[in-house]
Amino acid sequence: MTNYREIAWQGLWKNNPGLVQLLGLCPLLAVTATVTNALGLGVATLLVLVGSNLLVSLVRNFVPKEIRIPVFVMIIAALVTCVQLLINAYAYGLYLSLGIFLPLIVTNCVIIGRAEAFASRNNVSSAAFDGLMMGLGFTAILVVLGAVREVLGQGTLFDGAELLLGDWASALTIQVFQLDSHFLIAMLPPGAFIAMGLLIALKNVIDAKLESRQPKQQSEAIARARITKVS
């Protein structure tokens, strides 16, 4: 029986592709100068992840093992092309902003990794849910990193939201604080590496605290069981 709760926990936190597996770092660090760019690439990656996992799971029993990787890449490339054309048609500004990193989703190790490690070995519903959770986990890291860099770099949030949602979304831009000039290091690659390192460190601290609580809970449960047995 599929454990959807465990799949969600793995994708969103425990085995997060950005924080733990450290996959897809090139687009993760390159396009997260603003929340808008991060969200746009995250949604595009999520759609490709869900679609590729679903299709790979459907054809897994019909594809010889010797050619499974080329077949998976063809499926991913077809889906990326569809997503790229949709963004080009309905969010042209975002399409220009993301640039080469949009078609490079084809080479994203997160997608091919989930197709090979999970979708090719599980049923359709499990594979699609895994793609959704991994996509949400990856998108969440993109958005958090984009928010940190945008706030520190230019003092705003959701700047350029109209590129993703249309002209009406220009009202969504929030001026967190006023800067006389942009804090360039936060908007350049070095700032992305520093912010990513801090996020990974924060996750490790949280995991360490969670693990430190588990032995106490287990020892208390054992002690109670022994007392109950003696009585």
Side-chain angles (χ1 to χ4, degrees), residues 9-202:
W9 175 245
Q10 290 285 336
L12 295 175
W13 184 258
K14 187 176 181 180
N15 204 23
N16 186 286
L19 288 180
V20 180
Q21 300 181 58
L22 300 180
L23 299 175
L25 287 184
C26 182
L28 184 67
L29 298 173
V31 305
T32 52
T34 65
V35 174
T36 301
N37 285 356
L39 185 59
L41 185 66
V43 171
T45 305
L46 186 150
L47 292 175
V48 175
L49 254 172
V50 174
S52 63
N53 270 20
L54 192 151
L55 292 176
V56 167
S57 181
L58 283 173
V59 303
R60 63 194 171 98
N61 295 324
F62 306 100
V63 178
K65 292 183 179 180
E66 295 76 11
I67 62 168
R68 67 187 187 282
I69 298 300
V71 171
F72 295 168
V73 172
M74 288 179 62
I75 291 172
I76 294 168
L79 291 171
V80 169
T81 301
C82 293
V83 171
Q84 184 179 357
L85 291 173
L86 286 172
I87 295 177
N88 191 1
Y90 296 102
Y92 185 67
L94 180 65
Y95 175 82
L96 294 177
S97 183
L98 294 178
I100 189 62
F101 294 101
L102 195 55
L104 279 180
I105 293 175
V106 175
T107 62
N108 195 319
C109 297
V110 177
I111 300 173
I112 190 66
R114 297 319 296 171
E116 170 65 14
F118 194 92
S120 63
R121 304 175 186 179
N122 290 274
N123 59 47
V124 174
S125 59
S126 298
F129 189 72
D130 175 78
L132 177 63
M133 291 299 105
M134 285 289 171
L136 287 175
F138 188 71
T139 302
I141 298 305
L142 281 167
V143 171
V144 170
L145 192 59
V148 170
R149 293 180 64 193
E150 184 178 350
V151 169
L152 294 178
Q154 56 189 53
T156 63
L157 271 176
F158 300 106
D159 183 38
E162 65 275 7
L163 300 178
L164 179 63
L165 302 173
D167 294 338
W168 66 271
S170 58
L172 296 177
T173 301
I174 302 172
Q175 189 73 42
V176 180
F177 53 84
Q178 191 69 38
L179 291 175
D180 295 332
S181 62
H182 290 176
F183 185 40
L184 289 180
I185 192 171
M187 305 184 70
L188 294 175
F193 277 103
I194 294 171
M196 188 65 186
L198 292 174
L199 288 178
I200 294 172
L202 177 61

Side-chain angles (χ1 to χ4, degrees), residues 219-231:
S219 61
E220 289 176 0
I222 293 172
R224 289 175 183 175
R226 287 177 178 173
I227 293 171
T228 304
K229 187 176 181 180
V230 171
S231 61

